[in-house]
Amino acid sequence: MKKVVIVFIIIFAIISITRIISINRSVFLKPEQLPTVAPEQLKIISTNPHPLDEATILPTQNIEFTFNKPLFRSQFKHKFDPDIEHEVEVIDGRDKEFGQTFKIVFKKPLELGLGYALFVFTNTKTEGGLFLDKEYVFHFQTIKYKGF
């Protein structure tokens, strides 16, 4: 009887050890086997006009940007080349300072037939500290006046 109990204990121990080993193999994956999850980043998901890059716009036309996450208006870091006097407005936010869609309103009409570049910088960020995934550069021009 003692021999039968010892055999069962040994069999139980062997089964337990093989299960532990097989579980450990599946839990401890090599780094290249681990699924990669890209860190969440702030992105521009749409513009108006769309696409803005290489667009021809009216001298009085506004430009809009929509981000995938809301941010404060003051954190929308951008620059025009050549420099253009403008204001940035939040058009879909909880107030005038925080939202996902921003409208750039030019203080005076743009010059006809002139090309512009708009840079949206990577230090644009959300309240939670998510930074813009890359620097965006949009080239656009105003309509040309050809006369009569």
Side-chain angles (χ1 to χ4, degrees), residues 4-23:
V4 172
V5 171
I6 293 175
V7 169
F8 280 120
I9 291 174
I10 292 174
I11 291 174
F12 179 75
I14 291 172
I15 291 173
S16 298
I17 290 172
T18 53
R19 282 189 153 189
I20 290 171
I21 290 172
S22 67
I23 290 171

Side-chain angles (χ1 to χ4, degrees), residues 3 13 42 48 50 110 112 117 125 128:
K3 288 184 181 181
L42 182 64
N48 185 10
H50 179 76
L110 302 177
L112 292 172
K125 66 177 182 174

Side-chain angles (χ1 to χ4, degrees), residues 11 14 45 61 88 111 120:
I11 291 174
I14 291 172
I45 57 174
Q61 187 171 351
V88 176
E111 291 187 42
V120 182

Side-chain angles (χ1 to χ4, degrees), residues 5 14 27 30 46 60 65 83 93 105 135:
V5 171
I14 291 172
V27 170
K30 296 177 184 176
S46 70
T60 56
F65 287 93
D83 194 33
V105 180
E135 181 176 292

Side-chain angles (χ1 to χ4, degrees), residues 24-148:
N24 284 340
R25 284 184 184 159
S26 64
V27 170
F28 298 109
L29 299 174
K30 296 177 184 176
E32 62 271 7
Q33 295 173 319
L34 293 173
T36 56
V37 177
E40 191 172 20
Q41 292 184 302
L42 182 64
K43 296 180 182 188
I44 294 174
I45 57 174
S46 70
T47 63
N48 185 10
H50 179 76
L52 178 58
D53 199 35
E54 302 301 328
T56 300
I57 67 170
L58 297 170
T60 56
Q61 187 171 351
N62 298 322
I63 296 174
E64 295 178 8
F65 287 93
T66 301
F67 294 89
N68 63 329
K69 300 283 182 186
L71 60 141
F72 283 102
R73 182 172 61 107
S74 62
Q75 294 301 319
F76 177 28
K77 307 296 184 184
H78 63 284
K79 177 186 174 188
F80 283 97
D81 184 28
D83 194 33
I84 305 170
E85 287 187 58
H86 67 282
E87 292 181 358
V88 176
E89 299 175 359
V90 176
I91 61 173
D92 73 340
R94 67 179 184 212
D95 57 34
K96 294 181 179 181
E97 295 299 319
F98 189 77
Q100 281 185 249
T101 302
F102 297 85
K103 177 169 50 175
I104 295 175
V105 180
F106 302 110
K107 290 190 175 185
K108 59 183 181 178
L110 302 177
E111 291 187 42
L112 292 172
L114 192 58
Y116 297 91
L118 171 57
F119 300 88
V120 182
F121 299 116
T122 56
N123 61 341
T124 296
K125 66 177 182 174
T126 66
E127 181 180 24
L130 294 177
F131 285 91
L132 196 60
D133 62 334
K134 63 181 181 178
E135 181 176 292
Y136 290 82
V137 180
F138 300 98
H139 298 90
F140 63 95
Q141 63 183 8
T142 54
I143 59 172
K144 296 177 183 172
Y145 177 72
K146 296 183 182 181
F148 293 104

